[in-house]
């Protein structure tokens, strides 16, 4: 089964994302900030990361830059999930190593579509 790490300082967002991802057949882990997420990735590298931009301790941009520098850190597909809607900021996230970008608020259809676009089909299959 594929694993997705949800990184967001909001417990509510993590809970919503967990439900969506589990319904899509993913094993889900959670982290409240980029530093916690980086430690998690050091232990078990996920297949995908759903990543918030603005968080305490380490923000999403710093996390993705540091993840990509880690051994095996190029493998996870990183989807930024943020309220940032400035095109220059979105480009900055993609240039830093993100694979996709989702605007908050999001729903299951949006997440499933982005995962399918990234060819991340969990063992249960995506129901699109």
């Amino acid at each position: 089964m594929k694993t997705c790490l949800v990184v967001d300082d909001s417990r509510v967002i993590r809970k919503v994302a967990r439900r969506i991802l589990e319904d899509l057949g993913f094993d889900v882990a959670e982290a409240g900030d980029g530093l916690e997420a980086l430690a998690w990735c050091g232990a078990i590298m996920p297949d995908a990361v759903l990543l918030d931009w603005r968080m305490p301790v380490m923000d999403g941009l710093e996390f993705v830059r540091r993840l990509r520098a880690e051994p095996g850190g190029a493998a996870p597909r990183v989807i930024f999930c943020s309220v940032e809607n400035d095109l220059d900021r979105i480009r900055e996230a993609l240039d830093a190593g993100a694979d996709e970008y989702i605007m908050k608020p999001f729903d299951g259809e949006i997440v499933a579509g982005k995962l399918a676009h990234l060819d991340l089909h969990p063992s249960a299959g995506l129901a699109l």
Side-chain angles (χ1 to χ4, degrees):
M1 185 174 282
K2 297 215 183 269
T3 303
C4 185
L5 176 61
V6 178
V7 187
D8 200 298
D9 58 325
S10 166
R11 249 183 106 163
V12 172
I13 297 294
R14 290 195 313 265
K15 184 176 181 177
V16 168
R18 173 182 283 280
R19 184 165 166 238
I20 289 169
L21 291 161
E22 286 177 343
D23 286 350
L24 293 172
F26 282 86
D27 274 338
V28 179
E30 298 179 21
D33 61 62
L35 190 59
E36 183 182 342
L38 203 58
W40 200 93
C41 291
I44 303 170
M45 196 63 74
D47 297 292
V49 178
L50 191 62
L51 179 65
D52 186 25
W53 190 303
R54 296 175 190 210
M55 297 177 289
V57 184
M58 181 189 296
D59 69 14
L61 201 58
E62 180 66 19
F63 165 80
V64 76
R65 287 179 177 141
R66 290 184 57 184
L67 172 69
R68 295 306 192 206
E70 291 289 317
R77 307 296 264 179
V78 176
I79 302 171
F80 256 96
C81 181
S82 180
V83 296
E84 285 285 343
N85 63 359
D86 181 271
L87 289 177
D88 289 335
R89 296 291 286 182
I90 294 169
R91 174 58 47 210
E92 184 180 10
L94 296 172
D95 288 346
D99 296 291
E100 272 293 347
Y101 200 91
I102 296 174
M103 293 292 300
K104 287 181 182 176
F106 57 87
D107 61 23
E109 187 175 329
I110 292 168
V111 173
K114 291 293 184 178
L115 291 168
H117 175 73
L118 294 172
D119 201 27
L120 277 173
H121 302 277
S123 59
L126 291 174
L128 296 175

